Amino acid sequence: MKYLLAAAALLSAASVMAQDMTCADNLKIEDGQKVYMLTYFRQRYETRIEIDSAGRTVHVPLPDPMNVENLHIALSTDGRHWMALNDNKPIWNQQMRDPYVRRGHDGVWRLMATGGGRRADRQEVGPSCLYATSTDLVHWQKEDLLPLMKGVRNDAGNMVRNIWAPEWFYDEKEGDYFLVWSSSFEDAGWKKSRLWYCRTKDWKEFTLARPLFEPSYSVIDGTLLLKDGKYYLFHKEEEFGELTGERRAIRLAVSDSLEGPYEIVEGHLNGGQIVPVITEGPSSVMDIAGEKCLLYYDYCMADGFGVSSSSDFKNWTIEDSSFPSEARHGTVSIISSEEARKLLEAFGGK
């Protein structure tokens, strides 16, 4: 069957990446040096979902499932080889998945994540996502559960079932925060999913959510990068099964405007994708030298993590790398040597 062949190829690709490295005793941080920071949660899926030729959902069991839905941090000096802090245990025990952590224009670290709790008014406003802040990356404050799809219903009058992988992007032109996430009106978040967006200036009042990206395929896990006046939207194509073939991997779209429209870039793998299947949770950052884009993603059903690089956003090379075990859906930021040392003092490493 097609999905079994795809799974075999996935495991083969992940096996060459030395994914179980959580020890980096030789991590040396010089004064004034920039350091890469990875924020993530940990998981091994219980099953892999497939769709057979009759359209039926099939759950294929996976070995040794585990789940640690909290905030973890790892550090790296080259963006390829990582040291997990706190022995790869959480640095904050707040429940979350898909933690997106970036420094705001005001210097405050702002976190958005899937989950975080359930609002008492869930039946009236729909699903919510976690919003938290920190001034030092060590101490975190839960600010709110944001019902970003409040007021949005489909033609049948139904609310969406989910808000997945929310992220924010500071819009210098408008002076506000541009929030993006995926939602679906179907009975599963991966079905007929679209990327949505809204804006806020104060994290209290939000514009009504609108569709941002509606390609021909189901799409989740959108993340934005601005480079040379263009907005690059990395995202996961969420199509798979006997009818479509294995399509779960990262794609790229580009626009001259933050709100789009976004034009799909045809990648060099698997009919338009830019990294191998099965992958998700993209995070992108320009490397410290400013010469290459580093694109991070996890092999979500093979318990691995990867990074590819490109100098032109067209040709992508898989890099040799090592990541903390079971790392999932991470975000990479660049921090100062002082911030890295404070993290090491607070949590240590392994």
Side-chain angles (χ1 to χ4, degrees):
M1 299 176 73
K2 291 182 181 178
Y3 64 80
L4 292 177
L5 293 175
L10 165 65
L11 291 169
S12 176
S15 67
V16 302
M17 293 191 178
Q19 297 291 338
D20 197 34
M21 180 177 178
T22 57
C23 181
D25 294 333
N26 60 348
L27 182 71
K28 299 186 185 301
I29 300 173
E30 305 293 338
D31 290 341
Q33 181 180 15
K34 298 295 185 181
V35 179
Y36 296 90
M37 177 182 70
L38 174 69
T39 52
Y40 59 100
F41 79 107
R42 296 179 67 199
Q43 183 183 49
R44 291 192 298 267
Y45 271 134
E46 293 184 4
T47 65
R48 184 181 68 251
I49 299 175
E50 299 292 349
I51 303 173
D52 66 16
S53 58
R56 294 170 299 204
T57 300
V58 178
H59 289 266
V60 181
L62 296 173
D64 302 320
M66 62 88 72
N67 208 19
V68 186
E69 296 185 343
N70 306 118
L71 181 62
H72 297 70
I73 294 181
L75 300 178
S76 171
T77 55
D78 66 0
R80 280 81 169 169
H81 303 90
W82 295 84
M83 181 184 73
L85 300 185
N86 203 29
D87 293 335
N88 207 20
K89 297 191 291 289
I91 63 98
W92 186 30
N93 288 323
Q94 166 67 44
Q95 188 273 330
M96 69 183 74
R97 296 172 61 87
D98 319 323
Y100 179 84
V101 177
R102 285 284 168 85
R103 193 198 316 268
H105 76 294
D106 55 1
V108 175
W109 290 92
R110 302 182 185 276
L111 177 153
M112 295 186 73
T114 305
R118 186 181 179 91
R119 292 175 59 104
D121 57 356
R122 167 70 169 80
Q123 295 300 318
E124 291 75 41
V125 301
S128 59
C129 63
L130 177 67
Y131 170 54
T133 61
S134 174
T135 58
D136 60 6
L137 293 171
V138 176
H139 305 93
W140 289 88
Q141 174 66 42
K142 180 178 178 179
E143 300 289 351
D144 204 354
L145 295 173
L146 306 179
L148 299 179
M149 293 294 280
K150 179 181 178 181
V152 178
R153 295 177 181 264
N154 64 8
D155 292 340
N158 299 321
M159 295 185 294
V160 297
R161 301 291 187 92
N162 65 313
I163 293 175
W164 278 1
E167 299 192 4
W168 63 265
F169 181 94
Y170 187 71
D171 186 356
E172 295 281 355
K173 293 181 179 179
E174 298 295 329
D176 63 6
Y177 294 91
F178 185 90
L179 280 54
V180 60
W181 66 92
S182 71
S183 288
S184 170
F185 290 99
E186 303 297 318
D187 60 353
W190 48 268
K191 293 181 179 179
K192 299 179 181 179
S193 181
R194 295 292 179 256
L195 296 185
W196 295 74
Y197 79 97
C198 70
R199 290 178 178 270
T200 183
K201 288 184 179 293
D202 58 7
W203 293 90
K204 298 182 184 301
E205 299 293 330
F206 301 85
T207 62
L208 184 68
R210 299 175 57 188
L212 175 67
F213 187 51
E214 301 181 274
S216 60
Y217 46 84
S218 185
V219 56
I220 65 172
D221 294 355
T223 190
L224 288 159
L225 176 70
L226 174 62
K227 176 64 174 173
D228 296 333
K230 291 188 177 295
Y231 297 91
Y232 294 91
L233 178 61
F234 299 93
H235 58 277
K236 180 189 180 185
E237 178 181 359
E238 188 70 297
E239 299 286 354
F240 55 94
E242 293 286 351
L243 298 180
T244 65
E246 182 53 76
R247 305 291 310 157
R248 285 173 285 197
I250 311 306
R251 299 194 70 164
L252 176 60
V254 64
S255 176
D256 293 325
S257 170
L258 182 54
E259 294 187 3
Y262 283 85
E263 180 180 352
I264 296 172
V265 177
E266 294 300 329
H268 65 292
L269 294 175
N270 199 27
Q273 298 170 347
I274 57 177
V275 303
V277 295
I278 302 171
T279 48
E280 64 184 23
S283 176
S284 62
V285 66
M286 295 305 297
D287 67 9
I288 290 173
E291 297 175 351
K292 292 183 177 181
C293 176
L294 299 178
L295 174 62
Y296 297 86
Y297 43 88
D298 66 75
Y299 289 83
C300 50
M301 295 174 193
D303 307 323
F305 217 93
V307 55
S308 294
S309 66
S310 176
S311 58
D312 60 7
F313 293 91
K314 296 178 181 178
N315 301 287
W316 295 88
T317 300
I318 299 175
E319 301 272 353
D320 291 332
S321 58
S322 56
F323 288 84
S325 62
E326 294 90 28
R328 291 289 316 282
H329 203 123
T331 300
V332 174
S333 300
I334 296 175
I335 63 176
S336 67
S337 57
E338 292 80 8
E339 289 170 317
R341 285 170 178 160
K342 286 180 180 178
L343 285 170
L344 287 168
E345 290 172 4
F347 303 113
K350 177 183 176 182

